[in-house]
Amino acid sequence: MTTLVKYCKISFEFTKEGESHMEALKLIGVLIVVIGFVMKWDTIATVVLAGIVTGLVAVAQGQMTFIGIFETFGKSYLSNRTATLFALTVGVIGVCERYGLRDKAKDLILRLKGMTAGRLLVVWTIIRTLSSAFSLRLGGHVQFIRPIILPMSEGAIAAKYGDKALEDDSAEDQLKGIAAGSENFGNFFGQNCFMGASGTLLIVSTLNDQGFADVDALKVAMNSWPICIIIMVVTAVYYLWYDKHIDKKFGKNTTK
């Protein structure tokens, strides 16, 4: 009888240890995403692969059927299909660029005396952050950065240092990265300042599910405002430093 009890205890311990390993194995999808980003694989393919592998682990545990993997993909797409609406703007922006939207943006910045690329990005980041904080749909890499903000920044640099400054590939790439980053800063750090924003509600629901019942949308929004203000100050300092960097690099060739 004693031997039987010991055998049952050992079997239970092995079973419990095996279950914990299988639960940890579900995190393999996260590992695949990290490896994919580090190796610079195609983003969509990496995410889909991670989802399929995680689903196969669930199938092995008997928590999902093989067909259930594709059903989950389908349900996720249908519930988030509005996220792909931005693709409709691509054609409109392309037509506007074809008929001179980028050129008009450059012409506008040339009329503003004393405007630099850094100062322009400071103003834009403040506008973008505040619009995101009040849940206003004003921004986007496709809708604003590429056709408007980037050409205006290029025009500001060309007006002060000449067109040759934009022929430097490293300077051009740096400007593109900074302009794109202004959209990311404003959108990411501003969106949780609004109580009804999807990001705020997601934070509240996640923390409530984890046992933090005293967290509500108002507290998340109120605590997000200091971060929002800090990021506007930090990015302003960074963009003004960028002006100094550009002036140091191309100032000697300034065209009068």
Side-chain angles (χ1 to χ4, degrees), residues 36-108:
F37 286 162
V38 171
M39 300 298 292
K40 297 182 180 180
W41 295 343
D42 182 86
T43 305
I44 296 178
T46 301
V47 173
V48 171
L49 176 62
I52 292 176
V53 172
T54 304
L56 291 176
V57 173
V59 171
Q61 293 179 336
Q63 299 176 356
M64 178 184 290
T65 64
F66 184 74
I67 300 300
I69 298 176
F70 299 97
E71 291 178 349
T72 302
F73 274 112
K75 290 178 181 178
S76 299
Y77 173 76
L78 290 176
S79 61
N80 296 282
R81 61 185 182 276
T82 55
T84 61
L85 290 178
F86 78 94
L88 298 176
T89 64
V90 175
V92 177
I93 297 299
V95 173
C96 292
E97 287 188 8
R98 175 67 177 82
Y99 286 92
L101 178 61
R102 291 171 62 90
D103 295 333
K104 290 299 180 182
K106 283 187 177 182
D107 293 340
L108 175 61

Side-chain angles (χ1 to χ4, degrees), residues 208-244:
N208 288 342
D209 291 341
Q210 297 300 319
F212 298 92
D214 58 332
V215 177
D216 54 29
L218 178 59
K219 289 183 178 180
V220 174
M222 292 297 293
N223 285 279
S224 296
W225 271 105
I227 305 299
C228 178
I229 295 173
I230 289 172
I231 199 61
M232 286 190 286
V233 174
V234 171
T235 53
V237 173
Y238 175 60
Y239 296 143
L240 294 178
W241 169 86
Y242 174 71
D243 275 344
K244 298 291 184 181

